[in-house]
Amino acid sequence: MATLLPFRSAPTPPGLPMADDKYLSIEGIARRYPAPGGGSTTVFENLWLPMRRGEFVCMIGHSGCGKTTVLNILAGLEAPSEGVVIADGREITGPSLDRAVIFQGHALLPWRTVLGNVAYAVSSRWRSAPRAEVEERARRAIATVGLAGAEHKRPAELSGGMKQRVGIARALAIDPKMLLMDEPFSALDALTRGTLQDEVRRICVETGQTVFMITHDVDEAIYLADRIVLMTNGPQAKVAEIVENPLPADRDRAALHHAPGYYALRNHLIDFLVTRSRTFRDDPPAGYDPRHPPVVRPTLSDADATAIAAARRA
Amino acid sequence: MRASLSLRAGLVSALLLLAFLTVWHVAVGGTAKTEAMDPEYAALMGASATTGKSAMPGPLDVAVTIWRHLKDPFYDRGPNDKGLGIQLAYSVGRVALGYLFAVLVAIPIGFLIGMSPLMSRALDPYIQVLKPVSPLAWMPLALYTIKDSGLSAIFVIFICSLWPMLINTAFGVASTRREWLNVARTLEVGPLRRAFTVILPAAAPTILTGMRISIGIAWLVIVAAEMLVGGTGIGYFVWNEWNNLSITNVITSILVIGLVGMVLDQLLARAQRLVTFPE
Ligand SMILES: Nc1ncnc2c1ncn2[C@@H]1O[C@H](COP(=O)(O)OP(=O)(O)O)[C@@H](O)[C@H]1O
Ligand SMILES: [Mg+2]
């Protein structure tokens, strides 16, 4: 049997330097729907966002601001009313196996087993692969998310967390260049959510996956993201700012709240969600340019400064 | 006492049957008052007039007839005297053929209607108008164009099986969950593979419901159709036995028609269970 590729996208061949810094680039997209009384309502407009290869980006915003729509556009499931999205140097015109989607409602095919669901994705990716190889890849993906032994269960026999693991396995199994996740853990209880966040983080760090994830859980964004995109409320939502996560790359969930910068970041995000997401549209900061949304790195609060000092002494 | 529910239900069923048979037996067994008459006239009038015996057979007469049919279901003594097994085989064969054609037509067209809003709207008026037409109303047209009574019966079965399958397939296909379709789309699954791997399994329980309704209707209609076209089949048998005034055979046929209908329904129910998935 042919050797199996690891779950890792091939490194960019030399000679394609731009691809790394703007691996994915949202360029001025808008989404409008016809309004009931004629005219149109704008869900969001003039959205710009570059993403680097290997980066974990979380998008945060209130319900209805158009996060799912943005993700669907990145997935190629919907087309923007204006603007384009460039992925790996090419405009997105439809869905692609390069961009795997983890759906909010897990979206498993209930008539297939766990193995069948993952194998369906694998055989879609490698159409002429022999059965044995398809199954082998599927089994490995299932083992990666810790579901080995449950291959022959049907989705109805699984807990919510296990279903979402299968969704993750299905996405990973096709060896995508990018993962798109729409509030993947929002329907889970806190304990399961934490475990799955750990798993996703481990897998993404190990494989250097580029991830775009939607969430409205501030702590989830802090734990997982390298950068956090803040969306204002809809309609006419915008990217208010892009927050750089100051926390170190090797994060420990248990010690997260001791990490320097944690409180400053958390307070900044919550402030945004509580007030600024609402007031931003009518009162944007001076010099706001939607094409280059301000990049923010929250300054350390006193509590953080103490924590850093303690860390240095240690 | 929950565990014995089916036992008790069975007991009640048996008691009801016994009561029914008893009432039946007593009702037809009673001798009415008879008048003395000329023996030649009495021979013409038959037993009901001479001994007061009811013309309606009792359960024992029917049992004897059933036993006789069971012993030799496939005898063939000319066009008007064939075994019950042969007649049933004709009917089941016609239903199977007409039904099969209906499946072959209804499921692809149902897919088309379910997947294309344009075709759905374009074909809707025809379906709405043709669906409520009694399948037997097609019979003269079928006889006139096909010029073969057996084929005409098959056509009538085809027509009456068509609509429930067509409508259920279209509905099942159209209500395939968007997220499952999106899964296929993000995996770049082509339209044909998507139809077979996502839409068909998703719609299968609804399609099978339609197929089950259809087989029920087809079995209802075949009896009437065969009464009209004559020649062979269980429907013709019933009508012929009525003309022969053989009420025992008519009652036997009713029982057998019911049993076969039940078996057909149970077959489809089993198929339905096979494709139903828990969510
Ligand atoms: N087909 C549609 N017609 C009109 N408005 C729509 C349609 N689909 C979505 N919307 C609107 O788009 C907005 C954004 O939806 P969505 O992307 O699901 O938001 P989010 O995921 O942030 O909660 C919602 O306010 C919704 O009302
Ligand atoms: Mg959403």
Side-chain angles (χ1 to χ4, degrees), chain B residues 5-256:
Chain B
L5 179 64
S6 51
L7 188 74
R8 283 183 293 158
L11 198 67
V12 173
S13 287
L15 283 177
L16 281 175
L17 179 67
L18 196 69
F20 171 70
L21 291 177
T22 312
V23 171
W24 181 11
H25 182 76
V26 170
V28 299
T31 43
K33 206 161 85 70
T34 53
E35 291 160 32
M37 59 181 88
D38 171 31
E40 254 178 64
Y41 182 61
L44 276 174
M45 290 303 287
S48 59
T50 47
T51 64
K53 187 177 179 347
S54 165
M56 189 72 190
L60 291 175
D61 306 314
V62 174
V64 168
T65 311
I66 292 176
W67 179 241
R68 193 161 43 75
H69 282 296
L70 277 180
K71 270 197 306 192
D72 188 14
F74 296 110
Y75 71 87
D76 187 351
R77 289 192 282 271
N80 277 337
D81 196 6
K82 293 189 205 311
L84 201 56
I86 293 188
Q87 305 288 25
L88 269 179
Y90 273 110
S91 299
V92 170
R94 284 184 188 127
V95 165
L97 271 178
Y99 184 78
L100 191 72
F101 280 122
V103 170
L104 293 181
V105 171
I107 291 181
I109 296 184
F111 252 76
L112 187 70
I113 295 174
M115 292 175 83
S116 149
L118 173 75
M119 290 313 286
S120 169
R121 293 213 179 181
L123 293 180
D124 189 56
Y126 299 104
I127 295 176
Q128 296 301 334
V129 169
L130 294 181
K131 186 182 60 152
V133 176
S134 162
L136 294 174
W138 290 89
M139 185 62 94
L141 201 59
L143 285 170
Y144 178 73
T145 44
I146 306 176
K147 296 190 173 60
D148 178 287
S149 58
L151 281 181
S152 298
I154 293 172
F155 174 78
V156 166
I157 294 303
F158 164 81
I159 281 288
C160 75
S161 318
L162 195 64
W163 310 115
M165 286 196 263
L166 188 67
I167 290 164
N168 269 44
T169 305
F171 178 74
V173 167
S175 41
T176 306
R177 292 253 285 275
R178 165 123 251 123
E179 55 182 43
W180 298 336
L181 294 172
N182 280 346
V183 167
R185 286 177 67 202
T186 56
L187 293 173
E188 295 188 53
V189 173
L192 198 65
R193 186 162 180 250
R194 184 170 64 208
F196 280 104
T197 57
V198 178
I199 301 173
L200 187 60
T206 319
I207 296 177
L208 259 293
T209 305
M211 291 177 71
R212 195 172 165 192
I213 297 171
S214 281
I215 198 80
I217 294 177
W219 191 243
L220 286 181
V221 167
I222 190 67
V223 174
E226 285 170 344
M227 283 182 177
L228 280 177
V229 298
T232 47
I234 191 72
Y236 167 73
F237 180 80
V238 173
W239 199 247
N240 199 35
E241 294 309 309
W242 158 239
N243 287 335
N244 293 342
L245 275 180
S246 169
I247 303 299
T248 49
N249 271 334
V250 171
I251 295 175
T252 307
S253 310
I254 289 175
L255 260 176
V256 169

Side-chain angles (χ1 to χ4, degrees), chain A residues 187-290:
Chain A
L188 306 177
D189 63 276
L191 207 62
T192 315
R193 189 185 314 159
T195 324
L196 274 187
Q197 285 166 354
D198 291 342
E199 300 262 337
V200 161
R201 181 157 170 80
R202 174 180 62 78
I203 292 163
C204 291
V205 168
E206 276 171 14
T207 59
Q209 195 61 253
T210 312
V211 187
F212 179 86
M213 176 166 144
I214 291 171
T215 177
H216 50 225
D217 179 343
V218 166
D219 291 305
E220 182 167 277
I222 296 175
Y223 180 51
L224 292 174
D226 299 316
R227 290 194 301 156
I228 302 164
V229 179
L230 304 182
M231 289 274 282
T232 67
N233 289 0
Q236 287 141 39
K238 293 180 175 51
V239 172
E241 59 191 41
I242 298 169
V243 180
E244 302 261 3
N245 190 336
L247 302 189
D250 55 334
R251 288 163 209 174
D252 174 11
R253 165 187 296 284
L256 201 61
H257 55 289
H258 297 306
Y262 173 79
Y263 286 105
L265 176 61
R266 193 167 196 279
N267 290 344
H268 185 83
L269 296 179
I270 289 178
D271 277 344
F272 177 82
L273 284 180
V274 171
T275 48
R276 286 205 301 134
S277 62
R278 184 163 33 85
T279 57
F280 190 95
R281 189 179 63 209
D282 302 322
D283 184 21
Y288 171 74
D289 174 11

Side-chain angles (χ1 to χ4, degrees), chain A residues 60-195:
Chain A
I60 284 195
H62 284 289
S63 260
C65 72
K67 304 181 297 295
T68 297
T69 311
V70 170
L71 186 125
N72 283 346
I73 291 173
L74 295 189
L77 292 169
E78 277 182 55
S81 312
E82 283 161 29
V84 291
V85 181
I86 312 286
D88 215 2
R90 234 179 286 150
E91 182 181 336
I92 292 178
T93 53
S96 159
L97 283 157
D98 288 340
R99 282 167 274 123
V101 184
I102 295 173
F103 296 88
Q104 178 165 9
H106 65 75
L108 299 179
L109 305 180
W111 55 88
R112 284 175 180 264
T113 60
V114 168
L115 186 65
N117 267 284
V118 180
Y120 184 62
V122 175
S123 62
S124 303
R125 174 79 170 81
W126 292 279
R127 300 218 166 144
S128 49
R131 258 182 83 112
E133 191 191 329
V134 168
E135 198 175 309
E136 169 63 23
R137 278 180 185 277
R139 280 181 189 280
R140 269 202 318 142
I142 291 166
T144 307
V145 297
L147 278 184
E151 284 91 349
H152 297 291
K153 290 216 160 83
R154 294 199 183 258
E157 301 168 64
L158 304 179
S159 67
M162 289 165 93
K163 282 183 206 161
Q164 202 49 282
R165 278 171 199 261
V166 182
I168 296 168
R170 176 171 64 186
L172 291 172
I174 60 171
D175 204 358
K177 293 182 178 162
M178 184 168 188
L179 279 182
L180 304 172
M181 301 196 246
D182 188 357
E183 305 194 19
F185 312 129
S186 61
L188 306 177
D189 63 276
L191 207 62
T192 315
R193 189 185 314 159
T195 324

